[in-house]
Amino acid sequence: MSTHPDPKNFFKDFLEDYFAECEDHLTVVRRELLEIEPFVGKAGIERSVLNELFRSFHSLKGLSGMVGVKEAEELAHEMESYLRVLRDQEVILSPEGFDALLGGTKGLEQTIAAHRDQKPSPDISPIVAALKAVTPQTEKAGAGEQSAPVAPLQLKAEDISRLQRATETPGVQAWHFIFTPTTQLSTNGINVNKIRDRLQSLGELIYAAPRMTPDGKIAFDFLLVNALNPNTFIGWENDGLTWVPYSPDENHPPSGKSPNPTVPQSPENAPLHEPDPVSPSPPQPAPISAPTAAPLISQSSNVVRVDLPKLDELMRIMGDLVITRSRLSNQLTHLQEQLPVNHLRPLVEINQILERQLRDLREGVMRVRLVPIGEIFARMQFVVRDLVRETPKQVQVELSGQETEIDKFVVERMMDPLLHLVRNAVSHGLETIEERLQAGKPTTGKIALRAKTCGEMVIIEVEDDGRGINAPQILQKASSQNLLPQRPHPLMNPQPDDPTTLLEILCTPGFSTREVADLASGRGVGMAIVKNTLQELGGTLTLETHTGQGSKFIIELPLTLAIADVLLLSLGPETYAISASSVREAIALPAEAITVFEQTLMIPYRGKIIPLLRLESLFNLIPTESTPSDPPVSPDSTASAPTPSSPPSALFTGIPPQHAASYTRAIASNWRVVIVSSGPNTVGIAVDRIIGQREIVVRPLNDPLVQVLGISGATEIGDGRVILILDAPALMRAHHPQPHRTS
């Protein structure tokens, strides 16, 4: 590592890597702990699993000691001690021991998170006591370990050049310093930043990098060139430093001692803390062993960590390229009227190649942001285990599709919704052991977490085989709180206890069937959080439930929120975009097919009645006459249209008077309708023209002063215009009323 970065940020840079490394190790720990749970009370745990856990905790201990997080270091040490006696088969894995490992893992997560957020560390004494209680005291005697020879410095070409230039001056010497941090040194204010500053003040620092020793500890290598007397370094060993003269073709021992104490050394190779050299005899070379660990920052040669803001910036640049290519395509369209075809053809071909290349680049950038959803699935298993300990239930969690990838930002936001759905499944969905026996079910209930990709969407399912949702109880509770939704047309919702109505009630803030809150539920905010988070992410939530058989919540989410495929719609002078994944189909309807119910336009669609939305009314636009000469998109859909229940002029009761004439003229022609679906809800949107499909860059509208119902963002199209993006889920909610309280 070169010395060009600001030395004051040296430790801060490693702190960021510390958090990333810890998260990787904790992910391994959570996975492997689930592997050893079936061996509770049994002997013969698979040694490879124990070794994996041992390595992870040993690394966490070393990393935490390096940055001075002594609570995490202590916890990892105690867990490492217990795993050592398990590995050596001195004890078997007891229920108390497994609980102590789980508690220690949770304590590590909380301690590291507190250090990252600069908050006080939690009290770890109960967890440490639990770990010590299950660890035989004889294990403590084996703490001393032999340190392996230090790996040679991995100098880059530029470092070697600087070293050669620096050592050309007569009287200078290159020194290899090794700093091994400890908790005690950190408490005394001695850390890697202090050591680096000290060395830089004495000469030219050629190289500085961390590495992990073969025994799992952290050490820092420094290569310093100066002309000082070695006596200057006397006493530095108390600060965790060792040093030797550096020779690029020799391995030196990491201390001021001779490689072979029985052989005298020359003055330049004598122990650096002993000012009296003895003999000019050549030193005996130390045994050479291959390094077993790479430097800390590059433990995996094919993995590079990148901060998420950098990926956001890359996605922004990608979006600008998409807009620029769209402008180029728009200009080529205008040039078709001015240039001969044979002159324009090469430009058109280049534009098509550029479009394909940009789409490949977009997919590549998106893949960089995608992470497996299995990580939060694994965490849900620990959530279930904690909840079951407080209830008379037995629960088994089944996972599938853990390899399904989704945008990192979306994954982080989905942690809370999945947590609430799993908690509800344990608390409300699954029965107790006695209830399951009475119902003829296995004593162990099942919760299934599934994920899969469907086009540009990710589908996540949370299903249990419990009692199902008690619709009469939900409706009675909702009725007592005036929460039953009123539908604009009876054919839209023939059953009062259908899953859509039940889900709307369950997602109402403050609604809960529990009179007293417990650790799992009862506050009435969980499902509201699920609903709000999914709406913010542009996703949907649906419910399937069967009495006595269980319930299933289905989540649909976009893979990413930055770039999307949309359908461009024209309405008068305005152009709108709507997500292509929300559009089911486009149809043409005659005016006679439209009916009205309680001032809501209704149209027939595949055997049912759905509301028809006119954006003029929602956005207070001046409508234009429709263009019936355009060919219908799906003429078959106009069959069996019902007779309107009122004359055409009555279809627009409640429309602003200044727009009534335009609406009346519009009904004389075929209406072009885009069928939009979000979960179980479906509406039709009346438009003048469907322009076509485009790839756009989504610019969210975060300013509350410009947020409008039915608009999710804006984008720029090829001709330089800024158009608005329709929010399909919001349009669903606007025409499928939600439960609301009445005074």
Side-chain angles (χ1 to χ4, degrees):
M1 181 182 295
S2 109
T3 59
H4 297 299
D6 184 1
K8 300 300 181 183
N9 294 327
F10 188 67
F11 186 71
K12 181 180 178 181
D13 294 338
F14 283 116
L15 201 60
E16 294 298 324
D17 289 305
Y18 164 72
F19 295 130
E21 289 280 349
C22 287
E23 183 56 38
D24 287 346
H25 287 300
L26 287 172
T27 299
V28 173
V29 166
R30 286 189 288 263
R31 182 186 68 234
E32 300 301 331
L33 282 179
L34 294 173
E35 293 291 328
I36 69 171
E37 185 176 13
F39 293 93
V40 172
K42 303 176 183 177
I45 302 177
E46 188 173 341
R47 192 175 183 84
S48 62
V49 177
L50 287 176
N51 286 338
E52 192 73 25
L53 282 170
F54 187 87
R55 281 192 293 268
S56 294
F57 285 123
H58 196 70
S59 299
L60 285 167
K61 181 178 74 171
L63 289 166
S64 300
M66 177 186 69
V67 298
V69 187
K70 59 181 181 299
E71 294 86 356
E73 182 183 19
E74 183 179 2
L75 272 175
H77 173 70
E78 295 297 338
M79 299 173 80
E80 176 190 17
S81 300
Y82 182 53
L83 286 170
R84 182 180 286 115
V85 297
L86 286 176
R87 187 181 61 183
D88 297 341
Q89 297 185 355
E90 297 181 24
V91 296
I92 64 172
L93 181 62
S94 63
E96 296 78 13
F98 187 75
D99 289 342
L101 288 175
L102 290 180
T105 302
K106 184 182 295 185
L108 278 171
E109 294 173 347
Q110 295 171 348
T111 300
I112 295 169
H115 193 77
R116 182 184 59 234
D117 300 335
Q118 298 182 353
K119 296 180 179 179
S121 295
D123 181 16
I124 64 169
S125 54
I127 304 174
V128 171
L131 287 165
K132 287 184 175 180
V134 296
T135 305
Q137 296 302 311
T138 55
E139 190 275 333
K140 304 296 182 182
E145 295 176 350
Q146 296 290 331
S147 58
V150 176
L153 298 181
Q154 304 295 323
L155 298 183
K156 298 180 180 178
E158 60 183 73
D159 298 329
I160 296 175
S161 299
R162 292 178 59 208
L163 176 63
Q164 292 173 346
R165 289 195 301 267
T167 53
E168 288 175 355
T169 305
V172 301
Q173 171 69 52
W175 301 95
H176 179 190
F177 283 85
I178 303 170
F179 172 62
T180 305
T182 64
T183 303
Q184 184 61 41
L185 290 174
S186 178
T187 303
N188 295 335
I190 300 174
N191 54 38
V192 68
N193 260 355
K194 294 285 187 181
I195 297 299
R196 182 189 176 97
D197 292 343
R198 180 190 300 180
L199 295 177
Q200 279 192 315
S201 67
L202 299 180
E204 183 178 359
L205 193 59
I206 302 295
Y207 176 86
R211 61 178 167 83
M212 185 170 291
T213 62
D215 58 356
K217 297 180 180 179
I218 300 299
F220 288 88
D221 290 312
F222 297 96
L223 183 57
L224 178 71
V225 176
N226 64 20
L228 296 177
N229 189 302
N231 294 341
T232 306
F233 312 143
I234 293 177
W236 285 12
E237 66 274 11
N238 298 326
D239 295 339
L241 275 170
T242 56
W243 59 94
V244 290
Y246 177 76
S247 175
D249 53 359
E250 288 186 357
N251 285 329
H252 297 282
S255 67
K257 300 177 182 179
S258 167
N260 188 338
T262 63
V263 180
Q265 290 186 312
S266 62
E268 62 269 22
N269 289 328
L272 300 180
H273 331 356
E274 300 174 7
D276 299 323
V278 205
S279 165
S281 300
Q284 295 291 330
I288 298 177
S289 62
T292 58
L296 171 66
I297 307 305
S298 58
Q299 285 187 358
S300 179
S301 59
N302 60 345
V303 174
V304 177
R305 287 195 178 88
V306 181
D307 292 335
L308 195 57
K310 293 181 181 179
L311 294 180
D312 292 337
E313 178 65 13
L314 186 61
M315 185 63 79
R316 185 196 65 77
I317 297 173
M318 179 66 222
D320 292 341
L321 288 174
V322 170
I323 294 174
T324 302
R325 196 216 63 82
S326 182
R327 289 179 177 176
L328 174 62
S329 181
N330 190 68
Q331 290 299 319
L332 289 176
T333 302
H334 293 314
L335 288 176
Q336 289 177 352
E337 303 174 357
Q338 305 174 19
L339 294 178
V341 175
N342 59 332
H343 290 174
L344 193 61
R345 184 178 296 113
L347 290 177
V348 173
E349 292 176 353
I350 292 174
N351 181 57
Q352 292 173 345
I353 294 173
L354 180 61
E355 180 180 7
R356 290 195 298 269
Q357 292 173 340
L358 281 179
R359 182 168 287 273
D360 292 341
L361 179 60
R362 168 201 167 185
E363 293 177 354
V365 173
M366 284 179 55
R367 282 195 297 269
V368 172
R369 295 176 58 95
L370 299 181
V371 295
I373 200 172
E375 179 181 338
I376 58 175
F377 275 13
R379 293 192 182 190
M380 294 303 110
Q381 292 180 282
F382 289 94
V383 171
V384 170
R385 196 181 188 285
D386 286 341
L387 293 175
V388 169
R389 295 172 60 183
E390 308 295 332
T391 61
K393 300 179 181 180
Q394 293 180 355
V395 183
Q396 177 184 352
V397 180
E398 297 179 348
L399 306 180
S400 62
Q402 302 99 305
E403 70 285 352
T404 302
E405 294 185 322
I406 194 170
D407 192 287
K408 173 68 173 176
F409 173 78
V410 178
V411 164
E412 292 178 348
R413 295 294 307 277
M414 281 303 299
M415 184 67 73
D416 281 347
L418 282 179
L419 176 64
H420 289 295
L421 290 176
V422 170
R423 282 177 175 270
N424 282 345
V426 175
S427 177
H428 296 287
L430 296 178
E431 310 94 333
T432 63
I433 296 176
E434 292 76 12
E435 291 172 340
R436 293 183 68 86
L437 287 175
Q438 293 176 2
K441 295 182 177 181
T443 56
T444 301
K446 292 183 180 180
I447 295 179
L449 296 175
R450 310 185 190 96
K452 61 181 178 181
T453 304
C454 184
E456 293 294 319
M457 305 292 288
V458 171
I459 300 176
I460 303 172
E461 297 179 353
V462 180
E463 184 177 12
D464 65 76
D465 65 346
R467 58 174 64 92
I469 293 179
N470 189 333
Q473 180 188 8
I474 298 293
L475 294 173
Q476 181 181 2
K477 187 81 172 181
S479 178
S480 65
Q481 300 179 17
N482 297 316
L483 293 178
L484 290 179
Q486 298 297 321
R487 299 291 180 177
H489 195 287
L491 292 179
M492 292 174 57
N493 193 8
Q495 298 296 328
D497 57 347
D498 72 313
T500 302
T501 303
L502 294 176
L503 184 59
E504 292 173 359
I505 296 173
L506 293 173
C507 292
T508 304
F511 179 82
S512 177
T513 57
R514 290 287 181 90
E515 300 296 337
V516 179
D518 57 18
L519 291 178
S521 59
R523 302 291 184 190
V525 295
M527 292 301 297
I529 291 175
V530 175
K531 173 186 174 184
N532 294 336
T533 303
L534 291 178
Q535 289 177 1
E536 293 172 2
L537 295 175
T540 61
L541 177 69
T542 55
L543 168 67
E544 296 178 4
T545 184
H546 303 280
T547 303
Q549 300 179 25
S551 303
K552 177 165 63 174
F553 290 90
I554 305 170
I555 297 172
E556 294 187 30
L557 288 168
L559 277 174
T560 185
L561 305 178
I563 299 179
D565 291 321
V566 299
L567 204 63
L568 296 185
L569 312 173
S570 173
L571 186 65
E574 301 294 335
T575 302
Y576 296 95
I578 189 168
S579 173
S581 61
S582 301
V583 177
R584 182 172 295 181
E585 63 179 309
I587 64 175
L589 282 176
E592 294 79 12
I594 304 170
T595 185
V596 65
F597 182 81
E598 295 183 357
Q599 300 185 3
T600 301
L601 301 181
M602 311 296 296
I603 60 173
Y605 178 69
R606 299 196 179 278
K608 61 181 180 180
I609 300 295
I610 63 173
L612 176 66
L613 171 64
R614 289 195 65 94
L615 298 180
E616 299 99 322
S617 175
L618 183 61
F619 300 145
N620 197 27
L621 302 174
I622 299 177
T624 59
E625 294 188 21
S626 58
T627 53
S629 59
D630 291 348
V633 181
S634 180
D636 295 339
S637 60
T638 62
S640 66
T643 304
S645 59
S646 45
S649 60
L651 295 178
F652 305 105
T653 304
I655 297 300
Q658 65 270 26
H659 298 164
S662 298
Y663 277 89
T664 305
R665 289 196 305 271
I667 65 171
S669 29
N670 281 340
W671 288 33
R672 287 145 197 87
V673 178
V674 176
I675 305 299
V676 179
S677 177
S678 176
N681 300 328
T682 303
V683 301
I685 300 178
V687 299
D688 289 342
R689 188 163 63 97
I690 299 173
I691 299 175
Q693 189 168 338
R694 296 287 190 277
E695 184 181 57
I696 65 163
V697 180
V698 178
R699 308 292 190 193
L701 300 178
N702 297 322
D703 190 341
L705 297 178
V706 298
Q707 289 180 344
V708 178
L709 176 66
I711 300 296
S712 62
T715 189
E716 183 180 350
I717 56 177
D719 57 6
R721 288 184 299 155
V722 175
I723 65 173
L724 298 176
I725 304 171
L726 298 177
D727 185 353
L731 297 176
M732 302 297 104
R733 297 191 296 273
H735 277 68
H736 289 80
Q738 306 296 303
H740 62 281
R741 299 182 185 275
T742 58
S743 56

